[in-house]
Amino acid sequence: MEEAAGSEASFCLQKFTISDDSKDDYQYEEVPADDEFSLQGDDEDLSKALQTIQEQAEDAHILALQSVLTSEKSVSELPEAIDDFFCNFLVRFGMSRTLDCFQTEWYELVQRGVFTAKDTGLVPTVYTHNQQLEAENMCLKKDLENYKVAANKAKEAFLKMQRERDFHRMHHKRVVQEKNRLVCDIKRLKAHYASYEPVLKQLTEKYQTTLRQKMLTTLERDRALEQVTGLQATLENLESGCANQIPVTKANHECQRKKELGPTQKALQEARQQKNLGAKSSSYDPVKGAEKIGKRYPKDSEFPVDTQVNPYFVHAKEYTQPLKSGEYKLSNALKVHNLAVNCLVSHPRKDIVVTGSDDHLWKMWALPDGNIIMTGEGHTDWLSGCCFHPSGTQLVTSSRDTTVRIWDFSKHGCILTLEGHAHAVWDCSWHSCGDFVASASMDKTSKIWDVNSERCRYTMYGHKDSVNSIEFLQFSNTVLTSSADKTLSLWDARTQNTMQVEIYQNGTNLSEKYNLQHLTVFLKCLNEGLRVYTFYGHLHSCNHATFNMKGDTIASCDSSGMMKLWDIRKSAPILSIDAGPHPAKQVIFDHSGRVVALASSDGSVKVLQLERGQLSSLRGHGGEVRSITFHHRAEQLLSGGADGTVCLWS
């Protein structure tokens, strides 16, 4: 027991040994002689002083213990003694009997003085380090397993990226090979084209030379025909006792056209021949030196009798329930031109639409996908109007370049160019028989052109400002014009005034009756159509006017957005709708005549339901709306805008 107590004492001494370099944080203060704790004669004061000193000593002892615990080198960091190491080892593995034998023998030897604690020493720190290293080694093994798993995953990802890299590299090489092959082909084609350039230049020069020769030959032929015609006329005049010269003119056109009279003109020509059978050869106009119309211009067409019935009006009755204005919705928007769409017309029987634009082109495209069918190039300025031939095989266009052109779809080009206006041509229209074309111009006139004789038949004077629109009443010889002088006019394109007819029939004997003092007035009279009636009521420039299918109502619009409906039989306005203040570009009836659509500059299409009197707006264009038309089956409304798009409303 004594040995055990000694060992425990040595263990406690070893465990709580204070290092030499430990520092005492307590600071002592000197007590002066005249302090309040100085000894006095009274015993009570002495006992209080002793008690205070004891308390200070206890405080110092507590601070000393704290300084040991907080020293720079803690007790737990000191190495263990040999006997403590073996004891702890045996306790750890549960070898209690061996522990008892060891302690008995160990402390007995220490008591005998065989060896002392200094001889045995402490356990070397290498064992402690070995234990720590073993623990760290276990942790590192676990980390190594984790890293191996991560490395395997990274390896798989790396191999996958390598395969993708190889695939893309191979694809890139293939693309480069294709590019090099195409570059070689382009170079070879350029070289091949360069070898053909001299041949093309020679062919171009030969073509131009041939054109010049053809032009000279045409001039020689015309001159010869003029001489022959003059000689024949002179011979006939000599026989009749008067000799006059016959000037022959030919209309400008770009290409030779094969003249084939249609059934209407054939019937009219046969009737004229039967009527004039056995009559004397026609007389001449002494003022102009011209032969009668049927003789001077044998290719002139005759206007059909104005008693025909509009066959489309019967089909229009099928549309007894037109679409209501509120039901029109934007079904498609097609980008057909790069610039503004100025004119728009639907084919009379097929799902085809033609548009004319500021880009000097007209385009034919199919509904509803907008696939381009044909493009017309030839005008040198923006297009203002277009109209289908009644058969749908030809097209007439007007332009700011002062010309009217006729296009044949089977020949893929322009077959006739009509020149005669002094300023921009705003609109054009085709007669229902297909032999006449009407045009309206900024030069304050409108003209009736004969397609067969390729010349201007009549020039209609009367408007005091630009004529903005012109339209034939279907299956009739009535022409409707609207002008910037704020008026609408109806013209009889077939009927000349009485003076002209009498002059043609009686020669110069009527010059005194009509007091023809000026030749210019006479010539103007010969070429002027008969104006039937003029409608007054608009306060601003009239931009467009049109007939309904029945032909008894006219719709017109002006630059202030005002839309008016006119009764032709009463020659008076029946309805006025203010759709302004923006200008209205075009107005059109549907096939039933119950809906009127208006193209407005505010970017909308105004739709008026006549029975309900309701005006609604359809918006879909990015700019002003310049043209509108109804589909030939009245299923859709089409509008062309300044943004180059065509909107389909259904």
Side-chain angles (χ1 to χ4, degrees):
M1 294 297 293
E2 294 179 357
E3 293 179 356
S7 63
E8 291 178 359
S10 62
F11 175 75
C12 293
L13 181 61
Q14 179 68 27
K15 189 173 185 64
F16 292 98
T17 302
I18 300 175
S19 60
D20 296 336
D21 54 352
S22 62
K23 297 180 180 178
D24 189 1
D25 294 335
Y26 186 83
Q27 296 181 0
Y28 296 92
E29 295 180 358
E30 294 182 358
V31 179
D34 55 351
D35 192 60
E36 60 180 352
F37 295 105
S38 60
L39 297 177
Q40 298 178 358
D42 195 343
D43 295 335
E44 185 176 358
D45 295 337
L46 180 60
S47 62
K48 291 180 180 180
L50 292 174
Q51 185 177 358
T52 302
I53 292 171
Q54 290 178 357
E55 291 176 356
Q56 290 179 355
E58 291 177 356
D59 294 337
H61 182 66
I62 293 171
L63 291 175
L65 292 176
Q66 290 180 356
S67 63
V68 171
L69 295 175
T70 58
S71 60
E72 294 180 358
K73 190 174 182 180
S74 62
V75 176
S76 60
E77 293 180 357
L78 296 177
E80 294 180 307
I82 292 296
D83 54 347
D84 295 332
F85 176 77
F86 282 113
C87 290
N88 294 332
F89 176 79
L90 296 176
V91 170
R92 189 191 315 165
F93 288 98
M95 303 171 65
S96 58
R97 291 182 296 174
T98 306
L99 175 61
D100 295 337
C101 295
F102 170 74
Q103 288 180 343
T104 303
E105 186 175 3
W106 174 267
Y107 291 113
E108 182 179 356
L109 294 175
V110 171
Q111 288 297 327
R112 291 179 182 177
V114 176
F115 57 85
T116 61
K118 294 181 179 180
D119 296 333
T120 58
L122 304 176
V123 177
T125 56
V126 65
Y127 295 105
T128 306
H129 289 310
N130 288 338
Q131 292 179 355
Q132 294 177 355
L133 290 175
E134 287 180 0
E136 292 178 1
N137 191 15
M138 295 297 296
C139 295
L140 291 176
K141 285 182 179 179
K142 293 181 181 180
D143 293 340
L144 179 61
E145 295 296 332
N146 296 331
Y147 291 152
K148 284 183 179 180
V149 174
N152 292 331
K153 292 182 179 180
K155 183 179 180 180
E156 293 177 358
F158 177 72
L159 293 176
K160 182 179 179 181
M161 294 181 68
Q162 277 187 336
R163 289 192 295 270
E164 292 179 355
R165 180 202 62 187
D166 296 338
F167 172 77
H168 290 299
R169 183 179 296 172
M170 182 177 61
H171 181 68
H172 174 70
K173 290 181 179 179
R174 184 166 59 251
V175 171
V176 171
Q177 290 175 358
E178 291 290 334
K179 176 183 176 183
N180 295 332
R181 186 174 60 81
L182 292 176
V183 170
C184 294
D185 292 341
I186 291 173
K187 290 181 179 179
R188 186 165 55 254
L189 290 175
K190 285 183 178 180
H192 188 65
Y193 174 75
S195 64
Y196 277 101
E197 281 188 351
V199 180
L200 292 176
K201 289 182 180 179
Q202 293 178 2
L203 293 176
T204 303
E205 293 176 357
K206 290 181 180 179
Y207 175 72
Q208 293 177 355
T209 304
T210 306
L211 285 180
R212 287 193 294 268
Q213 292 177 355
K214 180 181 178 182
M215 186 180 300
L216 294 175
T217 305
T218 304
L219 293 176
E220 293 293 335
R221 185 197 63 183
D222 294 342
R223 189 179 298 110
L225 290 175
E226 182 179 354
Q227 292 176 359
V228 172
T229 306
L231 291 175
Q232 291 178 353
T234 304
L235 181 60
E236 292 178 358
N237 290 335
L238 289 175
E239 293 177 356
S240 62
C242 59
N244 292 311
Q245 297 179 355
I246 305 176
V248 179
T249 59
K250 186 175 181 66
N252 294 328
H253 58 90
E254 290 185 349
C255 58
Q256 299 296 328
R257 304 171 63 244
K258 185 178 180 180
K259 305 301 179 184
E260 294 183 0
L261 296 178
T264 303
Q265 295 302 320
K266 286 182 179 179
L268 292 173
Q269 188 175 13
E270 291 176 358
R272 182 174 60 186
Q273 290 176 356
Q274 292 178 1
K275 182 179 179 181
N276 297 331
L277 185 63
K280 186 181 177 181
S281 300
S282 60
S283 60
Y284 294 90
D285 185 344
V287 177
K288 295 185 67 176
E291 195 179 1
K292 201 172 179 179
I293 296 177
K295 199 69 177 176
R296 182 184 175 190
Y297 297 103
K299 296 181 180 180
D300 274 356
S301 304
E302 289 193 10
F303 285 93
V305 180
D306 200 1
T307 58
Q308 303 184 50
V309 179
N310 187 352
Y312 297 120
F313 183 65
V314 178
H315 298 288
K317 293 181 179 180
E318 300 175 0
Y319 306 106
T320 56
Q321 298 294 332
L323 291 174
K324 297 180 181 179
S325 60
E327 295 181 359
Y328 280 106
K329 295 182 180 180
L330 181 62
S331 60
N332 198 1
L334 307 174
K335 181 69 174 179
V336 295
H337 289 278
N338 294 325
L339 299 179
V341 178
N342 296 324
C343 54
L344 181 70
V345 62
S346 178
H347 194 277
R349 286 177 296 277
K350 299 180 180 180
D351 293 337
I352 294 175
V353 175
V354 169
T355 55
S357 172
D358 283 349
D359 57 9
H360 310 174
L361 303 175
W362 63 263
K363 293 183 179 181
M364 178 187 295
W365 45 276
L367 289 175
D369 299 328
N371 297 324
I372 299 297
I373 301 175
M374 188 181 299
T375 301
E377 299 181 1
H379 283 291
T380 59
D381 213 325
W382 45 261
L383 275 72
S384 56
C386 56
C387 183
F388 272 108
H389 189 277
S391 64
T393 59
Q394 293 181 343
L395 180 75
V396 60
T397 57
S398 60
S399 172
R400 187 180 180 273
D401 60 8
T402 71
T403 64
V404 177
R405 292 176 182 261
I406 297 177
W407 311 78
D408 194 322
F409 302 142
S410 62
K411 297 180 180 180
H412 303 281
C414 176
I415 61 172
L416 180 62
T417 300
L418 303 174
E419 299 178 351
H421 284 291
H423 294 286
V425 183
W426 289 119
D427 197 12
C428 57
S429 178
W430 215 308
H431 194 280
S432 299
C433 68
D435 297 318
F436 301 97
V437 170
S439 62
S441 173
M442 190 178 177
D443 60 6
K444 307 178 186 179
T445 66
S446 53
K447 294 180 180 291
I448 305 297
W449 305 87
D450 194 324
V451 178
N452 293 320
S453 61
E454 303 178 2
R455 74 183 186 96
C456 175
R457 290 288 293 272
Y458 310 121
T459 299
M460 296 182 288
Y461 300 91
H463 285 295
K464 298 179 181 179
D465 206 336
S466 171
V467 185
N468 296 329
S469 71
I470 191 166
E471 181 177 321
F472 276 107
L473 177 60
Q474 289 192 358
F475 298 93
S476 171
N477 298 310
T478 303
V479 181
L480 172 64
T481 59
S482 65
S483 173
D485 61 5
K486 309 173 188 178
T487 64
L488 312 176
S489 293
L490 289 176
W491 308 77
D492 189 345
R494 170 196 57 182
T495 306
Q496 296 174 316
N497 55 48
T498 306
M499 182 179 6
Q500 180 181 355
V501 176
E502 291 185 1
I503 287 173
Y504 275 131
Q505 292 177 351
N506 300 288
T508 59
N509 295 329
L510 295 175
S511 61
E512 296 179 358
K513 176 181 178 180
Y514 290 103
N515 192 19
L516 299 178
Q517 298 179 357
H518 300 286
L519 180 61
T520 56
V521 177
F522 174 66
L523 295 177
K524 178 180 178 181
C525 177
L526 289 177
N527 294 304
E528 182 177 353
L530 179 61
R531 180 158 57 173
V532 178
Y533 190 80
T534 300
F535 297 90
Y536 298 92
H538 281 287
L539 302 179
H540 299 84
S541 171
C542 295
N543 291 333
H544 190 259
T546 184
F547 292 103
N548 65 348
M549 182 68 71
K550 191 175 181 181
D552 60 351
T553 306
I554 294 175
S556 61
C557 59
D558 61 24
S559 59
S560 67
M562 182 65 68
M563 179 174 61
K564 289 182 177 290
L565 299 182
W566 310 81
D567 191 331
I568 297 180
R569 294 167 295 187
K570 297 180 180 179
S571 301
I574 57 178
L575 181 63
S576 295
I577 300 294
D578 187 2
H582 296 84
K585 297 294 185 179
Q586 188 178 3
V587 62
I588 189 170
F589 282 99
D590 75 332
H591 296 277
S592 66
R594 300 181 181 181
V595 177
V596 182
L598 180 74
S600 177
S601 296
D602 64 357
S604 67
V605 177
K606 313 289 185 182
V607 180
L608 175 63
Q609 183 74 24
L610 295 179
E611 294 181 351
R612 300 168 56 187
Q614 180 181 359
L615 183 68
S616 61
S617 297
L618 307 177
R619 294 189 177 274
H621 290 281
E624 63 179 5
V625 182
R626 296 191 177 182
S627 58
I628 51 174
T629 187
F630 278 95
H631 190 266
H632 67 90
R633 292 197 299 269
E635 296 175 351
Q636 289 181 325
L637 172 64
L638 297 92
S639 60
D643 55 357
T645 61
V646 172
C647 290
L648 280 68
W649 311 87
S650 59

